[in-house]
Amino acid sequence: PALSNIKIPAIKGKLGGHQYYSFVSTPRQLLKISFVNHRSLNDPEGAPAYQRLINKTRLSQISKFIQNGGFFPTNLLVNFTSKCRFEQITRNPSCDNAYGYLYLPSQYCSAWIIDGQHRLYGYASLNDHHLDQNIMVVAFEELDPTEEANLFVTINHEQKSVPKNLLDDLEGDLKWGSKKPSERIGAVASRLLSVLNEDLGEPLYGRITQQGITSTDSTCLTIPELKNGLRKSGLIGTSMRNNKEYLPGPLCGETDALTLERAREVLNGFFDLIRSANPEIWDAGRGGLLCTNISLQGYMLFLSSVISYWENKTNSNARELEPLDLLLKVNTYLDPIRGWLAKANFRKMNERFKIQYGSGAPSTYFYKLCQLVNPEYDDFCPTGYLEWLESQSAEKIAEADKQIKEISIIVNRIVFDTLKEVYGEEVSGYWHEGVKDKTIMSSAYQKSLDEPNRGLALENYVEFIEHKKIIERKENWPLFKEYFDIPELGEKGKTKNLKWMEKINELRRIPAHPTESRNYRKDDFEYIEYVYQKLITKTSIDFRGSTA
């Protein structure tokens, strides 16, 4: 009874041949009659079910957004499952619309949500004040579930979202003056990049892509990526204490407007020093690896590190220097890079700075820049540089590659020597009774067919990680425990300590599929050495001969 006779002003009309109503309601009213036909219900009467399950985290985020004063200026889209009562007051013949009062359905689950489930249910946990806020709704009447699903697909697939590039560009206007440090930094960064792109004759003039204009090899920079670089560098400030405190950066002024001008002057001058070292490579954009998203982010990190290095060394504050004076200090440490660039060609750039795209690419580029400066300023060692350098050591890499290869040989040799000893050397013995896994046997057989002239035994085609399945079989584990039971560093007491095989299998991919950015970490060298020494001790295999 509490749902009966709830009437609201509405417009009635037709859209796509279907009856619809446009009106304003409240979450309190709609939540009582709404329903989400999500796919996991598997209800034949609701087929085709098209909605995803409501996401709890997203609901929480939306609730917080509403509590902070947010609202949604877009329509909720629903379908009334039965015919609605509508009292017409007047009609507009020119657009075939009627104006009047709509009586909301008086049954639970009578308004099926087609689009906006999270927006509506984000109100569910809020107080009375929020439950009585206005929500705009477009409601169809007695749509078939298939038509509902088609509408859902149209909205979520055919309708394109606003590109991130445009949203990041707009942030400079929409968030300017924000009290939130992260938004403040984002707004200054967005506006700064727009200004740098419009500075006639300066290094970044016309190099940043604009919405709706196709990028080229030279116009290949994007605001989202460069904004990310500015944030990580801290040049125009850092957000501290869970976005409650703003820490100014070395390019900051007393106000955001002054920060914009100061950063503009310093960055134009800084990138001009880089461009002038080799204009041909700079102008090549993507092809030169000098004026790209990755490289410029790397140079921003470098600029920030050099300023910090100079401040610590001289007990000075960079913010007290005029832009030109700051550039003179920076140029001293930039000289080794500019000297290298002056002699570089496209081949040399490719050899040193060709980096696989990814979240760690700018940092890798930055460390490669540090490599050029460190020989002249040996105490210039930014955070993470020494660890990265150690991971690049050719000697260590060669040793790790060798150890991984020998680990694979040890495992294969021990596994099949043992199986042959226990089950017999015939294929019907060690292979069918010892291995016994049809998937492993089939895979090995297929690989042997791909190399018909090699004449190798089937065990030579077993993948490293497949040995783990053979070893941990209930019947086989007692045979192999003494060799392969290797606990993780600091761990004890597990029934089967074979986690190391999974880790070694992952590390095997580094030498097997090498790329510029796929390298061992410092911890990887230690781990490989640990496993290698354990296996050597347990198995007594000498690679100058055979099992001792």
Side-chain angles (χ1 to χ4, degrees), residues 275-475:
R275 175 180 65 171
S276 61
N278 198 322
E280 182 186 5
I281 288 178
W282 176 272
D283 291 340
R286 287 194 189 107
L289 302 177
L290 187 57
C291 185
T292 67
N293 284 326
I294 291 174
S295 63
L296 293 197
Q297 288 181 75
Y299 273 106
M300 288 175 189
L301 291 171
F302 177 79
L303 175 59
S304 178
S305 294
V306 161
I307 292 174
S308 294
Y309 171 71
W310 173 79
E311 286 180 324
N312 292 330
K313 196 168 185 177
T314 61
N315 196 26
S316 304
N317 186 347
R319 292 184 64 200
E320 296 175 356
L321 293 180
E322 291 298 317
L324 184 57
D325 293 330
L326 180 58
L327 283 170
L328 288 172
K329 303 294 182 187
V330 168
N331 188 40
T332 302
Y333 305 105
L334 192 60
D335 271 346
I337 295 173
R338 296 184 72 240
W340 187 91
L341 286 173
K343 299 174 184 176
N345 53 32
F346 290 99
R347 180 183 58 79
K348 286 185 177 180
M349 286 296 295
N350 199 61
E351 288 174 355
R352 176 173 281 272
F353 291 112
K354 179 71 174 177
I355 301 169
Q356 187 175 355
Y357 185 81
S359 59
S363 295
T364 302
Y365 201 104
F366 162 55
Y367 292 139
K368 286 176 178 286
L369 294 174
C370 295
Q371 259 186 317
L372 295 173
V373 176
N374 183 259
E376 291 193 32
Y377 301 93
D378 57 7
D379 58 340
F380 177 64
C381 297
T383 303
Y385 171 65
L386 292 178
E387 289 79 5
W388 175 83
L389 197 62
E390 189 170 358
S391 73
Q392 306 304 302
S393 166
E395 186 177 330
K396 283 200 168 210
I397 291 171
E399 181 63 19
D401 290 350
K402 175 176 173 289
Q403 288 179 337
I404 281 181
K405 181 180 178 181
E406 292 181 1
I407 287 171
S408 298
I409 294 171
I410 290 172
V411 170
N412 183 271
R413 185 186 298 181
I414 293 295
V415 165
F416 286 98
D417 282 356
T418 304
L419 291 180
K420 288 176 182 178
E421 185 178 335
V422 174
Y423 295 103
E425 296 194 7
E426 298 297 324
V427 172
S428 59
Y430 83 92
W431 186 250
H432 289 283
E433 292 300 318
V435 176
K436 213 167 186 174
D437 187 300
K438 291 183 179 179
T439 302
I440 295 175
M441 293 192 293
S442 175
S443 175
Y445 178 68
Q446 187 58 52
K447 288 170 190 166
S448 72
L449 294 179
D450 294 337
E451 295 184 352
N453 299 322
R454 296 292 295 273
L456 298 176
L458 290 172
E459 59 262 34
N460 292 284
Y461 300 99
V462 174
E463 296 289 341
F464 179 81
I465 198 61
E466 291 175 335
H467 290 89
K468 180 174 180 285
K469 289 185 178 181
I470 299 170
I471 291 166
E472 63 187 0
R473 273 187 58 216
K474 186 178 180 181
E475 300 88 342

Side-chain angles (χ1 to χ4, degrees), residues 75-340:
N75 288 307
L76 211 66
L77 188 61
V78 307
N79 176 36
F80 291 140
T81 56
S82 57
K83 207 159 188 65
C84 295
R85 179 182 166 195
F86 181 76
E87 290 181 354
Q88 182 175 312
I89 297 175
T90 184
R91 187 174 191 81
N92 186 342
S94 64
C95 57
D96 198 26
N97 283 340
Y99 307 93
Y101 288 102
L102 170 71
Y103 286 80
L104 291 178
S106 57
Q107 293 178 325
Y108 294 113
C109 301
S110 56
W112 287 30
I113 308 297
I114 300 172
D115 186 57
Q117 58 172 350
H118 287 93
R119 275 176 279 154
L120 175 59
Y121 285 94
Y123 284 93
S125 63
L126 302 182
N127 59 29
D128 290 348
H129 168 71
H130 295 103
L131 287 172
D132 290 322
Q133 288 181 352
N134 286 334
I135 276 189
M136 297 188 293
V137 183
V138 169
F140 288 97
E141 192 175 64
E142 295 185 313
L143 276 184
D144 181 87
T146 302
E147 291 175 299
E148 277 188 34
N150 284 332
L151 267 176
F152 175 83
V153 171
T154 299
I155 292 166
N156 289 281
H157 176 65
E158 301 296 340
Q159 197 167 284
K160 291 186 177 179
S161 60
V162 179
K164 188 178 189 315
N165 199 50
L166 179 57
L167 293 176
D168 276 291
D169 198 5
L170 285 171
E171 190 176 9
D173 296 320
L174 300 177
K175 303 295 184 181
W176 187 263
S178 173
K179 300 298 182 184
K180 295 181 179 179
S182 62
E183 291 183 351
R184 180 180 179 182
I185 294 167
V188 173
S190 293
R191 195 172 287 192
L192 172 61
L193 292 168
S194 295
V195 168
L196 294 176
N197 191 50
E198 294 165 3
D199 277 346
L200 186 65
E202 296 294 351
L204 301 188
Y205 173 69
R207 307 302 290 266
I208 300 176
T209 58
Q210 301 296 300
Q211 180 56 34
I213 301 175
T214 305
S215 66
T216 64
D217 281 343
S218 59
T219 306
C220 60
L221 306 176
T222 62
I223 286 180
E225 290 294 322
L226 297 186
K227 263 182 66 178
N228 194 41
L230 283 169
R231 284 184 185 278
K232 288 184 176 179
S233 70
L235 289 168
I236 55 173
T238 306
S239 171
M240 309 283 286
R241 296 179 59 238
N242 293 322
N243 204 27
K244 293 178 182 177
E245 185 178 327
Y246 173 74
L247 180 67
L251 304 191
C252 287
E254 293 301 317
T255 66
D256 288 351
L258 291 174
T259 295
L260 183 65
E261 285 307 309
R262 176 177 170 83
R264 174 187 190 176
E265 192 170 345
V266 171
L267 289 179
N268 273 334
F270 177 67
F271 288 125
D272 191 50
L273 288 170
I274 298 162
R275 175 180 65 171
S276 61
N278 198 322
E280 182 186 5
I281 288 178
W282 176 272
D283 291 340
R286 287 194 189 107
L289 302 177
L290 187 57
C291 185
T292 67
N293 284 326
I294 291 174
S295 63
L296 293 197
Q297 288 181 75
Y299 273 106
M300 288 175 189
L301 291 171
F302 177 79
L303 175 59
S304 178
S305 294
V306 161
I307 292 174
S308 294
Y309 171 71
W310 173 79
E311 286 180 324
N312 292 330
K313 196 168 185 177
T314 61
N315 196 26
S316 304
N317 186 347
R319 292 184 64 200
E320 296 175 356
L321 293 180
E322 291 298 317
L324 184 57
D325 293 330
L326 180 58
L327 283 170
L328 288 172
K329 303 294 182 187
V330 168
N331 188 40
T332 302
Y333 305 105
L334 192 60
D335 271 346
I337 295 173
R338 296 184 72 240
W340 187 91

Side-chain angles (χ1 to χ4, degrees), residues 24-45:
V24 173
S25 184
T26 66
R28 186 189 301 280
Q29 292 172 338
L30 291 174
L31 283 167
K32 294 175 181 177
I33 60 174
S34 294
F35 172 71
V36 179
N37 183 26
H38 58 75
R39 292 187 62 80
S40 60
L41 287 173
N42 294 321
D43 183 356
E45 292 185 11

